[in-house]
Amino acid sequence: MLAELGKKARKAARQLALASTVQKNVALTQIAERLWEEREAILSANQKDVVAGAAAGLSPALRDRLTLTESRLQANVNSLRDIAVLDDPVGEIFDEQVLANGLKVYKQRVPIGVLAVIYEARPDVTIEVSALTLKTGNAVILRGGKETIHSNRALVAAIRKGLEKSDLPLDAIQFIDNPDRALVQELLKMHQDIDMLIPRGAAALHQFCRQNSTIPVITGGIGICHLLVDESADLESALQVIQNAKVQRPTVCNALDTVLVHRAVAGDFIPRLVARLSEDQVTFRADEDAFEILGGVSTDRVQLAQQGDFDTEWLSLVLGIRVVDNIGEAIEHIARHSTSHSDGILTQNAQNAERFFGEVDSAVVYLNASTRFTDGGQLGMGAEVAVSTQRLHARGPMGLQSLTTYKWVVIGEGHIRE
Amino acid sequence: MLAELGKKARKAARQLALASTVQKNVALTQIAERLWEEREAILSANQKDVVAGAAAGLSPALRDRLTLTESRLQANVNSLRDIAVLDDPVGEIFDEQVLANGLKVYKQRVPIGVLAVIYEARPDVTIEVSALTLKTGNAVILRGGKETIHSNRALVAAIRKGLEKSDLPLDAIQFIDNPDRALVQELLKMHQDIDMLIPRGAAALHQFCRQNSTIPVITGGIGICHLLVDESADLESALQVIQNAKVQRPTVCNALDTVLVHRAVAGDFIPRLVARLSEDQVTFRADEDAFEILGGVSTDRVQLAQQGDFDTEWLSLVLGIRVVDNIGEAIEHIARHSTSHSDGILTQNAQNAERFFGEVDSAVVYLNASTRFTDGGQLGMGAEVAVSTQRLHARGPMGLQSLTTYKWVVIGEGHIRE
């Protein structure tokens, strides 16, 4: 069954590669309309998943990711329309040159081909990934988590109804409507028909894909994110930025996990931080120095950080705090504990910012801003297919261009190599 | 032992990432000088490998790849100097934008980190890869084939003497001085300390790496290359181009493997082609139509193509010939048999060229030129670390930029996400 999906996807990809931008945009608009028309069916299917998820004891973080509301769906449909009006990277010509021997050489952007995306309880991913892959002329095989099976069935049905109203192949977007995990194992070996595999989910899934896939894998979406409150930080601004990074949507990968505080401001700042974020029900894991500053007594609110706490992506209202002696110690902490997703410095000192940017090698590095901006939509890409934390092909939020490759075109007049 | 190599490489990579362009160029110049000064030792070490290779029954193709001559070494040393004067991609800022909310966003090119390159009997690769990885601030672990062990020892010794005269870490360039194949298996699992793996060699090596590596792999360097002689081709020019593509250096991946000839010109062209290339000792595998045109009798020179012949990378003076009815049939043949390395059309018809460029999705597509130009040096990149035939990260000749990734930099003034 999967092998057939793969062959259909490959065939669709060949057609999609020749589709015009207008054809693809019409299809996206049709899909957006269908999704919105069928919102009741979609939300009610999603409700089934949410109820089942609650019964199955899904964590609050996963339940939040799973939940579609009319306003979230509206936002997804809007991002689909945003994608339709974005420039189509396919066909773009770049790096043109005429060599000394007269050969004309350029590169031209082309689709990657067939993508497979494995993800968990996030129905919004179904919409975003379908839109981005279609816009870039790629075919996609979706494999959502079993927790979202009803939502995904409803979403993919609407998406394919939209495709039917376009002249693009229906098999551009396919969905593995079977939660059997053995199928994932099979999928990972289909390098003949799948060109790129994107797992979106927990670390275990990424590791599983890395160990077992013969298809190139883009890993990402796991963020142990840091903000350093430097000696010269604007402390009031720092409070707001940290509050936003931790509290605004704690269940996602760009939410803050650990605050590093320069010793010179720790005594002043840390108690204010705890007071401010306590209003939002945040609890804290403090290193010894921070724990001491906070009174040295365990409470419901504040605990001494244990082994592994600084290596945990919290995905909830928990925040680590550590006091550092200097920026070098902060950079060292980040090198050891970060997943190289999103890390920032809050400072008014330009030299320190520059050093931080030079030595912290994360996908996104920040100065005086919330880590929550690590997002394709926020950074002007319309939407994102994933946030890559690996170093090849694409890094950080992956928008349209990350879903393309290029071919070299060489034009001669009977040129031969000497 | 390998684990230690990995840790040293990681440490060196951190230092290299902060190295200035001048520091790296000085190191490259020092290495070039050392290589040339020690050419006698290098060539005599290489001679040992060549003699041993001949005794071990190495194929002529491999022996040619293995052989260093003073002029080949000179060319390698020159390409090293060419690389020193190329622009350093590291640090380059691109895709700058100021978002509506005032956030400043840009991308900055950074090294990938640690690369491992597994290759066979090509001492020139030792030099090129060392230079390209150093120029881009990456550390590299080299694993050449056992057939080149003496050459590589001499080369790496000279390279490290050059590094000693610079202020870059010696462990920037390391070499696995042990032909034990079990070490490769171990290397493939070192994803903690190696960021990118490049196998350069036969298909079996690529498949082995794809199946066993937990490190992202760039595969390439295997070229079943095609040229289509279209109905409107300039036949005299076509003869020259095909001769060059087949004969100039038949043992490398961009050498021609199969000529497709439009039926309208087949009767005229194919006999001329065979006559011309027979002077260079080329032998032919003709499909039934071409065989018929050539008299329909097997000779030392011409044989009927057998099953699998069109799926063979010859790496020798053998050329496949097939007659096609039209450009669509040629494109279909290429889709089925090409390794998506280098494929071209010889035509005076612009529409046919455009269709070929649109539908043939190889790393490099050609109009009226020899496939032998698929080479980093030829295409203006100074040298190449590999020719990628996969679709992620880099495609075709991989020069300096392919050995970098980027980080996003986001600069705010206390920005928070609404």
Side-chain angles (χ1 to χ4, degrees), chain A residues 178-190:
Chain A
N178 183 336
D180 185 356
R181 287 210 162 214
L183 293 177
V184 172
Q185 184 73 260
E186 190 182 336
L187 190 73
L188 296 190
K189 305 293 183 198
M190 288 169 57

Side-chain angles (χ1 to χ4, degrees), chain B residues 5-6 8-10 12-13 16 112-119 125-143 156 159-160 163 169-176 187 193-198 385 403:
Chain B
L5 237 65
K8 283 185 186 172
R10 177 63 75 203
L16 284 165
I112 285 177
V114 179
L115 315 186
V117 183
I118 303 177
Y119 51 106
V125 171
T126 307
I127 303 172
E128 278 198 348
V129 166
S130 298
L132 288 164
T133 53
L134 190 68
K135 174 81 186 196
T136 45
N138 292 290
V140 68
I141 298 174
L142 300 165
R143 204 283 184 186
V156 172
I159 288 168
R160 287 174 68 115
L163 270 178
L170 214 57
D171 292 327
I173 297 165
Q174 295 184 93
F175 162 56
I176 303 180
L187 190 73
D193 285 319
I194 301 173
D195 300 297
M196 171 157 137
L197 175 73
I198 306 178
V385 71
L403 299 183

Side-chain angles (χ1 to χ4, degrees), chain A residues 253-272:
Chain A
C253 61
N254 59 21
L256 182 64
D257 295 285
T258 302
V259 173
L260 304 169
V261 185
H262 193 289
R263 191 172 299 282
V265 296
D268 177 12
F269 184 74
I270 291 174
R272 285 167 68 186

Side-chain angles (χ1 to χ4, degrees), chain A residues 4 13 182 214 339 344:
Chain A
E4 199 191 329
T214 58
T339 54

Side-chain angles (χ1 to χ4, degrees), chain A residues 86-108:
Chain A
L86 287 175
D87 286 342
D88 183 354
V90 172
E92 188 201 336
I93 285 172
F94 59 105
D95 288 357
E96 282 178 275
Q97 49 177 333
V98 179
L99 302 179
N101 60 10
L103 271 181
K104 292 194 194 79
V105 181
Y106 59 84
K107 294 178 190 157
Q108 185 162 32

Side-chain angles (χ1 to χ4, degrees), chain A residues 84-343:
Chain A
V85 299
L86 287 175
D87 286 342
D88 183 354
V90 172
E92 188 201 336
I93 285 172
F94 59 105
D95 288 357
E96 282 178 275
Q97 49 177 333
V98 179
L99 302 179
N101 60 10
L103 271 181
K104 292 194 194 79
V105 181
Y106 59 84
K107 294 178 190 157
Q108 185 162 32
R109 238 175 248 300
V110 297
I112 286 178
V114 179
L115 315 186
V117 183
I118 303 178
Y119 52 107
E120 298 182 340
R122 295 194 54 182
D124 56 325
V125 171
T126 308
I127 303 172
E128 278 197 349
V129 166
S130 298
L132 287 165
T133 52
L134 190 68
K135 175 79 186 197
T136 44
N138 292 291
V140 68
I141 298 174
L142 301 165
R143 204 283 185 185
K146 66 175 187 308
E147 310 84 1
T148 26
I149 194 104
H150 298 100
S151 312
N152 283 339
R153 264 179 210 149
L155 287 167
V156 173
I159 288 169
R160 286 173 69 115
K161 278 184 200 161
L163 271 178
E164 267 173 19
K165 298 218 161 192
S166 77
D167 53 358
L168 297 185
L170 213 57
D171 292 327
I173 297 165
Q174 296 184 92
F175 162 56
I176 303 180
D177 190 3
N178 183 336
D180 185 356
R181 287 210 162 214
L183 293 177
V184 172
Q185 184 73 260
E186 190 182 336
L187 190 73
L188 296 190
K189 305 293 183 198
M190 288 169 57
H191 57 264
Q192 296 288 1
D193 285 320
I194 301 174
D195 301 298
M196 170 157 136
L197 175 73
I198 306 179
R200 290 181 57 157
L205 172 66
H206 291 245
Q207 200 178 331
F208 182 78
C209 289
R210 186 189 296 214
Q211 300 282 353
N212 293 283
S213 175
T214 58
I215 306 163
V217 180
I218 297 281
T219 55
I222 294 169
I224 299 180
C225 302
H226 299 76
L227 284 174
L228 164 63
V229 181
D230 191 24
E231 193 172 9
S232 70
D234 174 334
L235 297 187
E236 187 49 39
S237 168
L239 285 176
Q240 280 181 36
V241 168
I242 292 169
Q243 184 176 32
N244 181 261
K246 180 71 251 178
V247 171
Q248 199 237 3
R249 196 170 180 192
T251 58
V252 292
C253 61
N254 59 21
L256 182 64
D257 295 285
T258 302
V259 173
L260 304 169
V261 185
H262 193 289
R263 191 172 299 282
V265 296
D268 177 12
F269 184 74
I270 291 174
R272 285 167 68 186
L273 177 68
V274 170
R276 171 78 78 104
L277 268 63
S278 293
E279 294 166 20
D280 299 302
Q281 312 313 319
V282 175
T283 61
F284 302 86
R285 306 293 169 94
D287 81 329
E288 285 187 16
D289 290 340
F291 190 71
E292 200 60 40
I293 287 168
L294 291 167
V297 181
S298 283
T299 65
D300 284 353
R301 187 66 57 203
V302 179
Q303 291 169 44
L304 190 63
Q306 301 300 306
Q307 176 87 22
D309 276 357
F310 290 121
D311 297 303
T312 302
E313 186 189 23
W314 293 112
L315 298 172
S316 62
L317 289 169
V318 181
L319 182 65
I321 308 179
R322 179 180 164 188
V323 178
V324 293
D325 286 338
N326 50 51
I327 185 172
E329 197 178 320
I331 289 168
E332 207 37 59
H333 178 99
I334 291 170
R336 191 165 312 136
H337 300 284
S338 168
T339 54
S340 300
H341 186 292
S342 301
D343 297 293

Side-chain angles (χ1 to χ4, degrees), chain A residues 111-112 210 244 248 357 360 363 365 367-368 370 372 391 393 395 405-408 410 412 414-415 417-418, chain B residues 111-112 244 248 357 360 363 365 367-368 370 372 391 393 395 405-408 410 412 414-415 417-418:
Chain A
I112 286 178
R210 186 189 296 214
N244 181 261
Q248 199 237 3
F357 284 169
V360 173
V365 289
L367 168 63
N368 296 332
S370 167
R372 290 278 291 120
R391 305 181 71 80
H393 186 66
R395 225 176 157 207
T405 181
Y406 55 85
K407 64 171 74 159
W408 293 71
V410 178
H415 279 70
R417 183 162 166 186
E418 302 301 332
Chain B
I112 285 177
N244 182 259
Q248 199 237 5
F357 284 170
V360 172
V365 289
L367 168 63
N368 296 334
S370 166
R372 289 278 293 121
R391 304 181 71 80
H393 187 67
R395 227 176 157 209
T405 179
Y406 55 85
K407 63 172 74 159
W408 293 71
V410 179
H415 279 70
R417 183 160 165 187
E418 301 301 331

